[in-house]
Amino acid sequence: MAFLVLPLAGLLVRAPWSTLPQRLSEPQVLEALRLSLVTASVATAVCLVLGVPLAWLLARTDFPGRRLLRALVTVPLVLPPVVGGVALLLVLGRRGLVGQWLESAFGFSLPFTTAGVVVAEAFVAMPFLVIAVEGALRAADVRYEEAAATLGASRFTVFRRVTLPLVAPGVLAGAVLCWARALGEFGATITFAGNFPGRTQTMPLAVYLALETEPEAAIVLSLVLLAVSVLILVALRDRWVGAAA
């Protein structure tokens, strides 16, 4: 416990509490916070659109290669984020497998843009959502879905009117975890999107930059991210305690 808690305690002890309000109101801090909140929220929305159907596919259907697909979904969890950023560059960069086509056909480039930040965060964070939603789907009673189907409801209607309400707590928990992971993403973001203030510099990148020139500012930014993490833990505490019990 000391090994886990002492670093966080050191952060609180060394924090410049007397100048905290002034530092939090600095333009570069507010800009990094705004960009982090916006990109993490958009990345979470992308993960919901793509991840919920994927979780349903893994939980409700049986097809060849399902185990392999599930393993591929979890790869970003164990893949070093910097490697994920390099992989995104090789696919979506200006000379990437897909990126060169986007560049030539639409004149659109993702790397080193705000949209690139969203892509990097979604790539790293989506497994958290998929795993949470798949677990909720497997725990849900399928008899309600079968009853709706026997009454003539289409598959989409069953999913929208029965399945989603049943697994809503799991979707919410997965979305919160996904958002938190996107908010704290560093490696893939700096590799794929760079570190440009006002455009791609999120809070973790601002912490890294400030640590080299102004350590107290880095501590203040770190406190903000720590506070967000604690709030998420408190929000999900009942769900985790119930699952453990």
PDB file of all heavy atoms in Angstrom, residues 142-155:
ATOM      1  N   VAL A 142     -31.207 -13.566 -21.519  1.00  0.00           N
ATOM      2  CA  VAL A 142     -31.606 -13.530 -22.928  1.00  0.00           C
ATOM      3  C   VAL A 142     -33.082 -13.875 -23.118  1.00  0.00           C
ATOM      4  O   VAL A 142     -33.622 -13.703 -24.217  1.00  0.00           O
ATOM      5  CB  VAL A 142     -30.744 -14.504 -23.762  1.00  0.00           C
ATOM      6  CG1 VAL A 142     -29.292 -14.083 -23.731  1.00  0.00           C
ATOM      7  CG2 VAL A 142     -30.903 -15.938 -23.268  1.00  0.00           C
ATOM      8  N   ARG A 143     -33.768 -14.327 -22.064  1.00  0.00           N
ATOM      9  CA  ARG A 143     -35.174 -14.700 -22.222  1.00  0.00           C
ATOM     10  C   ARG A 143     -36.033 -13.500 -22.588  1.00  0.00           C
ATOM     11  O   ARG A 143     -37.024 -13.635 -23.310  1.00  0.00           O
ATOM     12  CB  ARG A 143     -35.686 -15.354 -20.937  1.00  0.00           C
ATOM     13  CG  ARG A 143     -35.096 -16.743 -20.664  1.00  0.00           C
ATOM     14  CD  ARG A 143     -35.593 -17.309 -19.362  1.00  0.00           C
ATOM     15  NE  ARG A 143     -35.154 -16.487 -18.224  1.00  0.00           N
ATOM     16  CZ  ARG A 143     -35.496 -16.749 -16.962  1.00  0.00           C
ATOM     17  NH1 ARG A 143     -36.274 -17.787 -16.678  1.00  0.00           N
ATOM     18  NH2 ARG A 143     -35.047 -15.985 -15.984  1.00  0.00           N
ATOM     19  N   TYR A 144     -35.662 -12.309 -22.102  1.00  0.00           N
ATOM     20  CA  TYR A 144     -36.419 -11.110 -22.464  1.00  0.00           C
ATOM     21  C   TYR A 144     -36.288 -10.817 -23.952  1.00  0.00           C
ATOM     22  O   TYR A 144     -37.268 -10.437 -24.614  1.00  0.00           O
ATOM     23  CB  TYR A 144     -35.931  -9.920 -21.641  1.00  0.00           C
ATOM     24  CG  TYR A 144     -36.155 -10.070 -20.154  1.00  0.00           C
ATOM     25  CD1 TYR A 144     -35.099 -10.363 -19.301  1.00  0.00           C
ATOM     26  CD2 TYR A 144     -37.424  -9.926 -19.612  1.00  0.00           C
ATOM     27  CE1 TYR A 144     -35.299 -10.509 -17.937  1.00  0.00           C
ATOM     28  CE2 TYR A 144     -37.643 -10.064 -18.248  1.00  0.00           C
ATOM     29  CZ  TYR A 144     -36.574 -10.357 -17.412  1.00  0.00           C
ATOM     30  OH  TYR A 144     -36.783 -10.503 -16.072  1.00  0.00           O
ATOM     31  N   GLU A 145     -35.090 -10.995 -24.481  1.00  0.00           N
ATOM     32  CA  GLU A 145     -34.885 -10.769 -25.905  1.00  0.00           C
ATOM     33  C   GLU A 145     -35.637 -11.809 -26.728  1.00  0.00           C
ATOM     34  O   GLU A 145     -36.222 -11.491 -27.770  1.00  0.00           O
ATOM     35  CB  GLU A 145     -33.396 -10.814 -26.225  1.00  0.00           C
ATOM     36  CG  GLU A 145     -32.576  -9.767 -25.477  1.00  0.00           C
ATOM     37  CD  GLU A 145     -31.083  -9.940 -25.690  1.00  0.00           C
ATOM     38  OE1 GLU A 145     -30.676 -10.248 -26.820  1.00  0.00           O
ATOM     39  OE2 GLU A 145     -30.321  -9.769 -24.729  1.00  0.00           O
ATOM     40  N   GLU A 146     -35.625 -13.055 -26.277  1.00  0.00           N
ATOM     41  CA  GLU A 146     -36.335 -14.113 -26.999  1.00  0.00           C
ATOM     42  C   GLU A 146     -37.838 -13.874 -26.972  1.00  0.00           C
ATOM     43  O   GLU A 146     -38.533 -14.109 -27.976  1.00  0.00           O
ATOM     44  CB  GLU A 146     -35.996 -15.469 -26.374  1.00  0.00           C
ATOM     45  CG  GLU A 146     -34.528 -15.867 -26.560  1.00  0.00           C
ATOM     46  CD  GLU A 146     -34.167 -17.104 -25.757  1.00  0.00           C
ATOM     47  OE1 GLU A 146     -34.999 -17.520 -24.923  1.00  0.00           O
ATOM     48  OE2 GLU A 146     -33.057 -17.640 -25.954  1.00  0.00           O
ATOM     49  N   ALA A 147     -38.344 -13.391 -25.841  1.00  0.00           N
ATOM     50  CA  ALA A 147     -39.774 -13.107 -25.752  1.00  0.00           C
ATOM     51  C   ALA A 147     -40.165 -11.988 -26.702  1.00  0.00           C
ATOM     52  O   ALA A 147     -41.202 -12.052 -27.386  1.00  0.00           O
ATOM     53  CB  ALA A 147     -40.140 -12.724 -24.315  1.00  0.00           C
ATOM     54  N   ALA A 148     -39.346 -10.952 -26.797  1.00  0.00           N
ATOM     55  CA  ALA A 148     -39.634  -9.858 -27.718  1.00  0.00           C
ATOM     56  C   ALA A 148     -39.595 -10.338 -29.161  1.00  0.00           C
ATOM     57  O   ALA A 148     -40.411  -9.918 -29.992  1.00  0.00           O
ATOM     58  CB  ALA A 148     -38.628  -8.726 -27.502  1.00  0.00           C
ATOM     59  N   ALA A 149     -38.659 -11.229 -29.468  1.00  0.00           N
ATOM     60  CA  ALA A 149     -38.557 -11.754 -30.828  1.00  0.00           C
ATOM     61  C   ALA A 149     -39.777 -12.596 -31.190  1.00  0.00           C
ATOM     62  O   ALA A 149     -40.282 -12.528 -32.320  1.00  0.00           O
ATOM     63  CB  ALA A 149     -37.281 -12.573 -30.977  1.00  0.00           C
ATOM     64  N   THR A 150     -40.271 -13.388 -30.253  1.00  0.00           N
ATOM     65  CA  THR A 150     -41.453 -14.214 -30.526  1.00  0.00           C
ATOM     66  C   THR A 150     -42.703 -13.360 -30.736  1.00  0.00           C
ATOM     67  O   THR A 150     -43.654 -13.809 -31.384  1.00  0.00           O
ATOM     68  CB  THR A 150     -41.704 -15.195 -29.377  1.00  0.00           C
ATOM     69  OG1 THR A 150     -41.878 -14.462 -28.149  1.00  0.00           O
ATOM     70  CG2 THR A 150     -40.551 -16.161 -29.227  1.00  0.00           C
ATOM     71  N   LEU A 151     -42.702 -12.133 -30.206  1.00  0.00           N
ATOM     72  CA  LEU A 151     -43.844 -11.234 -30.392  1.00  0.00           C
ATOM     73  C   LEU A 151     -43.752 -10.450 -31.704  1.00  0.00           C
ATOM     74  O   LEU A 151     -44.596  -9.594 -31.972  1.00  0.00           O
ATOM     75  CB  LEU A 151     -43.931 -10.256 -29.216  1.00  0.00           C
ATOM     76  CG  LEU A 151     -44.275 -10.889 -27.859  1.00  0.00           C
ATOM     77  CD1 LEU A 151     -44.197  -9.856 -26.750  1.00  0.00           C
ATOM     78  CD2 LEU A 151     -45.662 -11.530 -27.917  1.00  0.00           C
ATOM     79  N   GLY A 152     -42.718 -10.713 -32.491  1.00  0.00           N
ATOM     80  CA  GLY A 152     -42.616 -10.119 -33.808  1.00  0.00           C
ATOM     81  C   GLY A 152     -41.665  -8.948 -33.925  1.00  0.00           C
ATOM     82  O   GLY A 152     -41.594  -8.323 -34.989  1.00  0.00           O
ATOM     83  N   ALA A 153     -40.937  -8.632 -32.869  1.00  0.00           N
ATOM     84  CA  ALA A 153     -40.006  -7.514 -32.934  1.00  0.00           C
ATOM     85  C   ALA A 153     -38.806  -7.886 -33.800  1.00  0.00           C
ATOM     86  O   ALA A 153     -38.308  -9.017 -33.746  1.00  0.00           O
ATOM     87  CB  ALA A 153     -39.542  -7.124 -31.531  1.00  0.00           C
ATOM     88  N   SER A 154     -38.342  -6.938 -34.578  1.00  0.00           N
ATOM     89  CA  SER A 154     -37.165  -7.173 -35.402  1.00  0.00           C
ATOM     90  C   SER A 154     -35.923  -7.209 -34.522  1.00  0.00           C
ATOM     91  O   SER A 154     -35.958  -6.799 -33.354  1.00  0.00           O
ATOM     92  CB  SER A 154     -37.020  -6.056 -36.443  1.00  0.00           C
ATOM     93  OG  SER A 154     -36.762  -4.814 -35.801  1.00  0.00           O
ATOM     94  N   ARG A 155     -34.818  -7.679 -35.110  1.00  0.00           N
ATOM     95  CA  ARG A 155     -33.583  -7.771 -34.332  1.00  0.00           C
ATOM     96  C   ARG A 155     -33.135  -6.400 -33.848  1.00  0.00           C
ATOM     97  O   ARG A 155     -32.688  -6.252 -32.714  1.00  0.00           O
ATOM     98  CB  ARG A 155     -32.488  -8.429 -35.173  1.00  0.00           C
ATOM     99  CG  ARG A 155     -31.163  -8.542 -34.461  1.00  0.00           C
ATOM    100  CD  ARG A 155     -30.166  -9.360 -35.244  1.00  0.00           C
ATOM    101  NE  ARG A 155     -30.541 -10.762 -35.305  1.00  0.00           N
ATOM    102  CZ  ARG A 155     -29.788 -11.714 -35.834  1.00  0.00           C
ATOM    103  NH1 ARG A 155     -28.607 -11.404 -36.365  1.00  0.00           N
ATOM    104  NH2 ARG A 155     -30.206 -12.957 -35.868  1.00  0.00           N
TER     105      ARG A 155
END
